[in-house]
Amino acid sequence: MIEPSVLVVDDEVQFVKTLVKRLVKRGVKVDSAHSGQQALDTLAGSGATRTDVVILDVKMPGMDGLETLAAIKEAHPLIEVIMLTGHATVESAIEGMKHGAYDYLMKPCDLDVLMNKLNQAAVKKREHEAKILEARATLIALRRGD
Amino acid sequence: MTSPDTAERSNPPRPRVRTVVIGLALIVLAPLVITGAINLQQFQVVYRNKVESELTVMIERQSFIVDSFIADRLSDVRIIAREHPIERLRDPDFLRQVLNLMREEYHGAFVDLGVVNEDGIQIAYAGPFNLEKADYSSAPWFELAFSKESYVSNVFAGLRGTPHFIVTTQRRVGDETYIVKATIDFEYFNALVEGIRIGDTGFAFIISRDGKFQTNPRFEVSLNRSPYAEILDGTMHADRIFIADGKDLLSRPSIFTFAPLKQGRWLLCYQQETADALDEVRKMVRLAIVALLVVATGALAVGYFVSGNLASRLAEADRERTVMTHQVIETGRLASIGELAAGIAHEINNPVAIMVQEAGWIDDLLHDDNPTSAENLVEIERAVGQIRTQGDRCKEITYKLLSFARKTDPSVRAVALNDMVGEVIGLTSQKTRYANVQIVTELSPDLPEIQASPTEIQQVLLNLVNNAIDAIDKPGGTVTVVTRAEGHAVVLEVRDTGAGIPEANLARIFDPFFTTKPVGQGTGLGLSICYGIVEKAGGTITVESEVEQGTTFTVSFPRESPKPAQPIDPTSEREGP
Ligand SMILES: [Mg+2]
């Protein structure tokens, strides 16, 4: 089993703290942020290379979840995003999917369900990444004329 | 930028049925009455002229008849006096023959016939009385009869004691002069004049210039009264036919007509009540009044029916509107609660999610290899504390929602606006946090209370504050809620630094179902409900907006008005700064 690397983004500090503890206990490497901007900053730093999945709260002051999603996908297309919402509406779900969210979970969610989604998303991200690396290697090989 | 037309909306007072009926009646009846009166007036003048000319013709004919009668009788006597020798005239038998002949001819107009000598002795007589040898030397007519070729006396009683008058003519034989005299039957003459009757009240009679009745008037007449008195004392002249107005003995307006008889020595008088003479006019007036009444009744009936119908329809519409307004307000309230509930359900999920996480964390720790390690116990204690904290948070949120939803009392009472502002801002605090909007309050500390329904005022505030928050499309906007006393008004101002309302929409924002929000996100009822509530409380709501600068809603309530529908104080129309 892979060990996914996760960034948890939510404006509820206490929620993030406890979730992080629980994920760590399950062998997940976790970073945390309390706003969209903070999440982007983390990813822009060293976080991007090791983050597989972002767990992103939809409703946050300042930059909200959908805006943050768009920004993440723009800067880091391979990173998968699982949206967390307190109030799932069809409109916001569709909007999120349009912007490339991997899945949509409603608060409060069961940690096992979240872990499942997390692992699937991480697998998808890593496969995606591997394909791209492979394609890139093929391309380099072709150029070399091997 | 203001929107006066939305600010000046108010219920026009309903015209009352009675006012409408009276108005219609006046409109319909006034011209009828005026033209009717003018027509009648003209008709009266024309008819009066006609009556006068008819009276003139009538009295002319009657005076001619009377004059001719007298003249004819006189000429009869003259013929007798001239045609026969005096010897025969002195013969009573001959006189009797002549008298009988004349009575046959003239239906008894002549009573008797006599011959009087210069000494005043009646030397021959034929007639019903025993008057042969009667001495007339001292009779008032005797001198006059001898001094004139012919003579007609006034009516007098004479020797016989009954009213009569005589006609005389002279007969000269040599030096001697005789007078042939005939007595005219008073009844016969009287009937001639009394027969002149027109209408119910018209009657004629003859008076002499010295004020003696020559015939009996059918009704009582006083010659001392106007216009007879004036005619007799010469103030008024009746040398020719003369018409005068006056009153009869019963003080009824009457028309008096005079014609001279016997070369002015007698007067033929004709008297008739004006109303009777103008009977045609009276009939005309009656007809006109009946016609007017018929038309008026019709007009009133139609007016009453139409206006009654109209009024009941208006009343019906008012009633429906009231019911509708009430329903719309209630619907709006439910919509607000629904929106609020959705927001709050969302919000409540955050603490719930934390609680679930903490519970899950405790669960994780309990499944640890060493669940009761000191470290774990501290962590479990912290988690339980956190669950309690978040539970309290949930309680607070649900409490707010319930306190809003539970208030359904539309009854009017004293409302402290500042407290309401505080409550509503509390309800919207989550929303403002996520929208990055700052709420600023500038509440006047000694604000008078207003008379309104607390739930409705809460709804107005919630709508205005929610709209203000929604209007802010960029982070860092500010919503300012101001309360202040202003003259006789309590003013609430909700200002935002949002996108503003284009002028084209400004006039429509209070219209029901007008919304600029995407489908499904706004009922379009919020502001129209606010408008209805504020108007019901006797206040006004106005809006000022500038695109890209923001919008200000100014609500002005009358302070402590005894009734919600009190006339609005004009000072409360003042717009915000
Ligand atoms: Mg949140």
Side-chain angles (χ1 to χ4, degrees), chain A residues 12 18 21 59 62 86 107, chain B residues 346 349-350 358 379 393 436:
Chain A
E12 292 282 341
T18 312
K21 282 178 196 165
K59 202 142 196 187
K107 281 189 196 175
Chain B
H346 180 235
N349 270 338
N350 281 320
E358 298 291 357
E379 192 60 21
R393 199 176 145 194
N436 282 302

Side-chain angles (χ1 to χ4, degrees), chain A residues 10-12 57-61 107, chain B residues 346 350 434:
Chain A
D10 198 308
D11 60 316
E12 292 282 341
D57 183 27
V58 170
K59 202 142 196 187
M60 290 184 295
K107 281 189 196 175
Chain B
H346 180 235
N350 281 320
Y434 290 117

Side-chain angles (χ1 to χ4, degrees), chain A residues 10-12 14-15 18-19 21-22 25-26 57 59-63 85-87 106-109 111, chain B residues 342 346-347 349-350 352-354 356-358 360-361 364-365 368 379 382 386 390 393 433-434 436:
Chain A
D10 198 308
D11 60 316
E12 292 282 341
Q14 195 55 47
F15 178 79
T18 312
L19 184 60
K21 282 178 196 165
R22 300 189 73 195
K25 202 166 183 64
R26 284 164 178 74
D57 183 27
K59 202 142 196 187
M60 290 184 295
M63 200 177 198
T85 176
H87 172 63
M106 185 142 139
K107 281 189 196 175
C109 64
L111 193 66
Chain B
H346 180 235
E347 200 45 46
N349 270 338
N350 281 320
V352 169
I354 293 170
V356 169
Q357 286 310 323
E358 298 291 357
W361 178 231
D364 288 350
L365 294 175
D368 220 24
E379 192 60 21
R382 187 206 54 80
Q386 190 57 235
Q390 297 301 325
R393 199 176 145 194
R433 195 158 68 87
Y434 290 117
N436 282 302

